[in-house]
Amino acid sequence: MDHKIELLAPGGDVDAIKAAIIAGADAVYCGLDTLNARNRAANISFEQLIGIIRLAHQYQCQIFLTLNVIILEREFKSIAKLLSKLVNTTLDGVIVQDIGMFNIIKKHFPTLDIHASTQLTTHNIGQIPFLKKLGASRVNLSRELNLREITAITAVCREYDLLSEVFVHGSLCVAFSGLCYSTSASVGNSGNRGRCSQACREEYETTATGHNFPLNIKDNSAFFDLPALIDAGVHSFKIEGRIKGANYVHTVVDSFRKQIDGFLNTGELTEDGERLYKVFNRDFSNAFLRGDLNQSMFIDNPRDNSKVHAINKHNATESQSHSQDKSQQISVVQIHEVEQNLQTDKNEIEAEVVEKIKHLSIEKVPLSLRFSGQAAQPLEVSVTTTGFSVEQNSFTVQSTSLLRASENTSIDKATIEKRFKSFNNAEFLLTELNCDNLNTGLSIPFKELTALKNQIASLLNNAVDIIPEVTLPPLVNHPKVASQLNSQVSSQVKNQAKNELSILICDEADAELAHITHADIYFKLPDAYKRDCTKYVGFLQDNPRLIPWFPAVLIGKDYDAAVTILEQVKPPLIVTNNTGIAYKANALGIKWIAGPFLNTTNSYALLAMKEDFDCSGAFISNEINAMQMKHIARPENFKLFYSIYHPILLMTSRQCFFQQSVGCEKPRIDNGCMLSCDKSTTITNLKGVSFAIDKQKAGYPSIYNQDQFLNMEIIEDLSDLFDGFMIDLTNIGTGDRQAPDKALLISQFEELLAYKNSTNESKNSIDSHSSAKQQLNNLVPESTNIQYHNGL
């Protein structure tokens, strides 16, 4: 082993952060009360953050701040103010999801170290150079990866000088992080905004296999896989748990600290991991890491499993009430004793943690300023910091100019207080501002007072000059582009003011739709290929009208196969929901459009993709509402798109949803499952709402809303913003419902856009428009556009 192993701990509140530090964490990640992916955690204030950084650094522990949500257009002004404060701290890094956030940090706050969040769904080697070019210094890999896949990615990380993080303990999401829309689709509580409502932990009506929590999976723990992860080249072992308390954090961090140190010292794992079961857990699984996805990953108990584990460990069993059977009475005693002993252990853990952290202080540092001077002498300021958590520090600064007598512009205590009161801030408590030794009736240029203030601030900031607040320059909203992105249909003359229709298909037979429409047609490529990508190469070469559409998740050989398609077909244009494919397309000189699952919600994300990767256009996320879209600025020569009709994806998983719902004869997922399985079923929650589980051949298991997304309002509201609107004709996620006639759907949507693009407002035109809307409502009776109204 030739690299340092970092133990990265969660900190949801001040006590949990203190517990992580004292337990031996090398770094702690925590969030402020806004802009982080754990809004349900207590989180911390900016003033607390300053004290936490100071405390952590005393213990050689780093602090990373989570800013790991997608950002709305209106938030960038306040974000710039926050980042302007953060650059003047000794914060060790910021964890980021939004591509626009990468852009402004790299441009305007280059001293901040950027870490790519797990919300970016990083799972293939092409995404590493993409994130590097965005400005990342490290990347948190997707939790679904196995050791072989992690090893391949970390090798590329080293090639691009990026550090890698892997979650080694804590809650697992059944869905790919960053691609779960389970509650934003109904009430706007998006995981991409830190408001996950944990629909996967909910109770559902009993399934055919007898399960009430069919989506609930065990917690992740790689406690006994640390040597393999070290061999894989992982830099940081990350523990999940910012919603957990100090007792949990201390126990888990301390256990991992001892396990890591024991292995590094002896070459063997020295801890049995039993302490991990004494704090909150849903039982443990390392199935993702080992690449063994089976039914044992699920558990029909989303709550704390510690008591159940203790009872099972001691082979205690419940007895029937009032039983006279002696052996059953003994079991009752055993259960009572086990529960009592567990509670005693929990109490001891709490007492131990309280004792260990009680002396750790994050209070502000007391600061004393003493001003002195007389005529013909410089103004002198003696600065002293003291406090429980810092060593006393004293220094003196002097003005360049000399004090001179002046009755009219003399400096007095009120003047000095006005100039220097800002030192009573997030880091310092200004306990004294003393002017007793400053003679009266003296003056000095006010710029000298400002210079003294800046000098003191720099010395208090470890001799680093304070960076002025950054105001983001205004963005230019460029007009729509008349140029044709898809050269295969360049003969079609399109007015730049018009809204174009585009169509998404996945059935090869639907290529025939090209004969009835001039719309751009995207062909959705599968998630999985293995070695069978040649048929898609030939198909796309035979149908040059089709624009390849790449999915969001492409792991390992599936990514390699997708790259092969790019290299051999060399299409003039693609749509991609995967940043690895975006990077490769840019390298090959292929124009690309960012798909809707890249979660694009702001102008700076558009700008980053345009400037760094020559992106030609982007779909705006369906998670945001009309007001949140309204002020997005278009980069130059850039097209904006929006999907107005599609199945509403709630989540996509690498795990099988059928084992817990309708059952499956296979005990675990094998290589053939992805390519050959094409099942569908439904699950129903206790409110009576049903959701479609859909597995296409060569696709990942997914869950969809019962309603289709149909948004005709946006054509009226925001047609000036968008160049085109897409309709999804893949029929994925529709379950056993009869799919509408595709040719009829196309004709009615074309009628809607034709009316909007036309200046003709005759009665016939209006009637035709109204008829198209009514026809679409009839064709898609179970539909909603609630996301368009709720937003984020």
Side-chain angles (χ1 to χ4, degrees):
M1 187 195 72
D2 59 357
H3 64 280
K4 175 181 169 57
I5 301 301
E6 175 187 273
L7 181 57
L8 176 55
D13 59 26
V14 172
D15 283 349
I17 295 169
K18 290 179 178 179
I21 293 170
I22 209 69
D26 296 303
V28 176
Y29 63 103
C30 55
L32 298 174
D33 47 15
T34 58
L35 301 175
N36 82 86
R38 284 293 181 270
N39 273 7
R40 293 193 298 121
N43 294 312
I44 58 176
S45 67
F46 185 81
E47 286 191 359
Q48 289 173 324
L49 174 65
I50 300 304
I52 285 165
I53 295 171
R54 183 173 60 250
L55 172 66
H57 288 177
Q58 291 170 10
Y59 285 83
Q60 291 74 55
C61 177
Q62 294 184 305
I63 295 294
F64 306 144
L65 185 68
T66 56
L67 301 173
N68 54 340
V69 292
I70 55 176
I71 308 299
L72 302 174
E73 192 73 18
R74 58 180 167 76
E75 294 174 323
F76 277 96
K77 184 176 181 180
S78 59
I79 285 171
K81 289 183 178 294
L82 172 61
L83 295 172
S84 292
K85 294 196 293 183
L86 292 176
V87 293
N88 289 306
T89 71
T90 53
L91 181 70
D92 299 291
V94 289
I95 303 172
V96 174
Q97 173 187 7
D98 190 272
I99 290 175
M101 180 81 88
F102 278 92
N103 182 265
I104 67 166
I105 293 176
K106 186 173 74 168
K107 281 183 181 177
H108 303 288
F109 307 94
T111 58
L112 285 177
D113 199 42
I114 312 175
H115 304 175
S117 167
T118 193
Q119 290 288 111
L120 280 157
T121 329
T122 305
H123 54 268
N124 66 49
I125 59 175
Q127 293 170 296
I128 301 306
F130 182 93
L131 293 171
K132 176 69 175 182
K133 195 167 184 179
L134 276 182
S137 67
R138 69 161 72 191
V139 55
N140 184 210
L141 304 183
S142 291
R143 282 172 259 206
E144 293 78 14
L145 299 178
N146 61 42
L147 279 165
R148 176 176 50 80
E149 293 156 352
I150 290 170
T151 302
I153 295 175
T154 55
V156 177
C157 283
R158 288 194 294 274
E159 180 184 341
Y160 285 91
D161 195 27
L162 261 71
L163 300 176
S164 59
E165 295 176 356
V166 169
F167 276 107
V168 295
H169 194 84
S171 297
L172 275 175
C173 294
V174 72
F176 286 102
S177 296
L179 298 174
C180 181
Y181 310 95
S182 60
T183 48
S184 75
S186 56
V187 291
N189 290 342
S190 173
N192 285 316
R193 289 287 288 179
R195 302 187 185 118
C196 173
S197 299
Q198 295 191 324
C200 56
R201 307 291 183 195
E202 287 182 7
E203 185 174 359
Y204 290 77
E205 292 182 3
T206 305
T207 67
T209 54
H211 294 97
N212 293 99
F213 297 89
L215 307 180
N216 186 61
I217 58 176
K218 295 177 181 177
D219 288 348
N220 169 44
S221 189
F223 196 67
F224 300 105
D225 300 289
L226 300 183
L229 287 169
I230 292 172
D231 289 343
V234 174
H235 168 75
S236 181
F237 293 172
K238 188 170 187 176
I239 297 167
E240 187 276 342
R242 282 197 290 131
I243 299 177
K244 310 293 200 312
N247 300 344
Y248 174 93
V249 171
H250 185 275
T251 301
V252 176
V253 173
D254 186 61
S255 297
F256 271 84
R257 178 80 279 156
K258 288 180 168 63
Q259 186 78 305
I260 293 170
D261 292 348
F263 176 76
L264 295 180
N265 291 331
T266 68
E268 297 180 357
L269 297 176
T270 59
E271 297 289 306
D272 62 9
E274 193 58 32
R275 285 193 298 157
L276 299 173
Y277 286 97
K278 295 184 184 297
V279 291
F280 183 94
N281 69 87
R282 299 183 184 91
D283 205 356
F284 298 121
S285 172
N286 66 349
F288 277 136
L289 191 63
R290 288 297 176 182
D292 181 19
L293 308 187
N294 57 68
Q295 193 169 355
S296 70
M297 287 185 70
F298 292 90
I299 183 170
D300 244 20
N301 175 22
R303 290 168 283 277
D304 188 6
N305 188 64
S306 58
K307 186 184 295 185
V308 175
H309 173 81
I311 291 171
N312 291 339
K313 180 185 176 185
H314 291 84
N315 295 317
T317 58
E318 286 283 4
S319 69
Q320 296 178 355
S321 300
H322 309 298
S323 172
Q324 300 301 311
D325 187 285
K326 186 175 181 181
S327 64
Q328 289 185 342
Q329 290 175 355
I330 292 173
S331 293
V332 173
V333 173
Q334 288 176 338
I335 290 175
H336 176 70
E337 288 179 353
V338 168
E339 292 177 342
Q340 194 172 51
N341 290 340
L342 177 62
Q343 189 58 51
T344 299
D345 290 343
K346 288 178 178 286
N347 293 340
E348 288 177 355
I349 290 171
E350 181 176 5
E352 178 187 8
V353 173
V354 169
E355 183 63 26
K356 283 185 174 181
I357 69 174
K358 69 179 184 181
H359 68 282
L360 302 180
S361 174
I362 63 166
E363 297 302 315
K364 295 181 183 181
V365 177
L367 174 67
S368 169
L369 301 179
R370 289 176 169 266
F371 294 79
S372 60
Q374 52 188 330
Q377 296 292 324
L379 175 62
E380 185 174 281
V381 187
S382 296
V383 183
T384 303
T385 58
T386 59
F388 182 72
S389 60
V390 295
E391 294 183 4
Q392 181 168 323
N393 178 32
S394 298
F395 58 88
T396 301
V397 296
Q398 291 183 336
S399 63
T400 302
S401 302
L402 303 181
L403 291 163
R404 57 184 178 81
S406 174
E407 293 296 333
N408 296 327
T409 58
S410 62
I411 56 174
D412 54 15
K413 186 169 183 177
T415 302
I416 287 175
E417 283 180 346
K418 183 178 179 180
R419 293 276 174 163
F420 289 85
K421 66 181 180 181
S422 60
F423 282 109
N424 195 49
N425 53 31
E427 184 168 6
F428 297 103
L429 178 65
L430 189 56
T431 58
E432 182 181 31
L433 202 154
N434 190 303
C435 298
D436 292 348
N437 293 322
L438 175 62
N439 290 355
T440 59
L442 300 176
S443 178
I444 197 172
F446 283 149
K447 66 178 182 180
E448 287 277 346
L449 292 178
T450 301
L452 283 174
K453 176 183 172 182
N454 291 339
Q455 187 180 1
I456 293 169
S458 175
L459 292 170
L460 289 173
N461 195 38
N462 300 311
V464 177
D465 289 341
I466 300 297
I467 299 172
E469 182 177 321
V470 170
T471 300
L472 297 178
L475 295 174
V476 178
N477 187 10
H478 292 273
K480 290 183 180 181
V481 188
S483 62
Q484 186 65 48
L485 286 177
N486 185 4
S487 62
Q488 298 299 328
V489 288
S490 58
S491 61
Q492 300 170 27
V493 179
K494 298 182 180 180
N495 187 300
Q496 72 175 58
K498 292 184 177 180
N499 300 115
E500 304 164 10
L501 181 70
S502 56
I503 299 165
L504 177 63
I505 62 172
C506 66
D507 189 335
E508 294 172 33
D510 284 339
E512 294 297 317
L513 294 172
H515 298 307
I516 66 168
T517 180
H518 294 302
D520 286 341
I521 302 178
Y522 308 124
F523 182 77
K524 184 180 185 299
L525 291 161
D527 301 326
Y529 308 89
K530 301 307 176 190
R531 289 174 293 275
D532 189 24
C533 66
T534 53
K535 72 173 184 179
Y536 296 107
V537 171
F539 174 70
L540 290 169
Q541 288 174 337
D542 293 340
N543 294 273
R545 172 82 182 275
L546 302 184
I547 301 168
W549 173 290
F550 289 87
V553 179
L554 289 164
I555 299 176
K557 292 180 180 179
D558 296 328
Y559 170 74
D560 297 337
V563 169
T564 299
I565 293 173
L566 271 184
E567 293 173 336
Q568 294 189 13
V569 176
K570 294 182 180 176
L573 174 70
I574 67 167
V575 178
T576 178
N577 295 279
N578 185 280
T579 54
I581 292 296
Y583 182 85
K584 191 65 178 180
N586 178 232
L588 293 170
I590 296 171
K591 291 185 178 297
W592 66 281
I593 295 171
F597 296 112
L598 285 184
N599 299 325
T600 304
T601 58
N602 59 73
S603 306
Y604 292 96
L606 303 178
L607 206 58
M609 292 188 290
K610 172 70 176 176
E611 292 176 343
D612 292 335
F613 307 101
D614 196 26
C615 182
S616 297
F619 279 81
I620 298 302
S621 170
N622 282 91
E623 285 199 280
I624 60 177
N625 64 29
M627 288 303 297
Q628 292 163 347
M629 296 179 206
K630 192 172 183 180
H631 299 292
I632 290 177
R634 177 199 315 276
E636 189 174 10
N637 297 320
F638 198 88
K639 290 198 170 188
L640 295 180
F641 303 92
Y642 183 84
S643 176
I644 56 175
Y645 171 68
H646 57 259
I648 300 174
L649 177 68
L650 300 181
M651 64 178 73
T652 299
S653 179
R654 202 173 189 181
Q655 180 51 277
C656 176
F657 289 134
F658 298 106
Q659 290 175 334
Q660 297 289 100
S661 55
V662 293
C664 179
E665 68 277 6
K666 291 184 177 181
R668 54 181 40 81
I669 296 175
D670 60 30
N671 290 333
C673 292
M674 273 293 285
L675 294 175
S676 60
C677 178
D678 59 351
K679 294 180 180 178
S680 64
T681 187
T682 59
I683 55 173
T684 305
N685 65 20
L686 297 186
K687 297 177 182 178
V689 180
S690 295
F691 305 96
I693 297 178
D694 188 283
K695 167 71 176 70
Q696 300 285 308
K697 287 184 178 180
Y700 284 104
S702 300
I703 300 180
Y704 292 86
N705 203 32
Q706 63 180 351
D707 297 323
Q708 300 289 92
F709 185 83
L710 177 60
N711 184 7
M712 293 182 276
E713 292 179 45
I714 195 170
I715 298 174
E716 300 293 331
D717 299 341
L718 295 175
S719 60
D720 290 342
L721 175 64
F722 291 102
D723 298 86
F725 297 108
M726 187 194 79
I727 60 173
D728 184 338
L729 301 183
T730 60
N731 293 336
I732 297 173
T734 58
D736 58 1
R737 287 177 294 184
Q738 182 67 37
D741 181 271
K742 294 177 182 179
L744 187 55
L745 275 174
I746 292 171
S747 67
Q748 299 309 307
F749 277 111
E750 286 180 333
E751 179 60 40
L752 282 185
L753 293 183
Y755 175 80
K756 188 61 183 178
N757 293 331
S758 173
T759 57
N760 180 10
E761 294 187 7
S762 66
K763 184 178 185 304
N764 287 342
S765 176
I766 294 172
D767 289 345
S768 179
H769 173 67
S770 299
S771 175
K773 290 177 69 174
Q774 184 59 51
Q775 183 76 280
L776 285 169
N777 284 323
N778 293 338
L779 287 168
V780 193
E782 296 179 278
S783 67
T784 181
N785 65 353
I786 192 170
Q787 283 176 293
Y788 181 66
H789 294 280
N790 284 345
L792 297 178

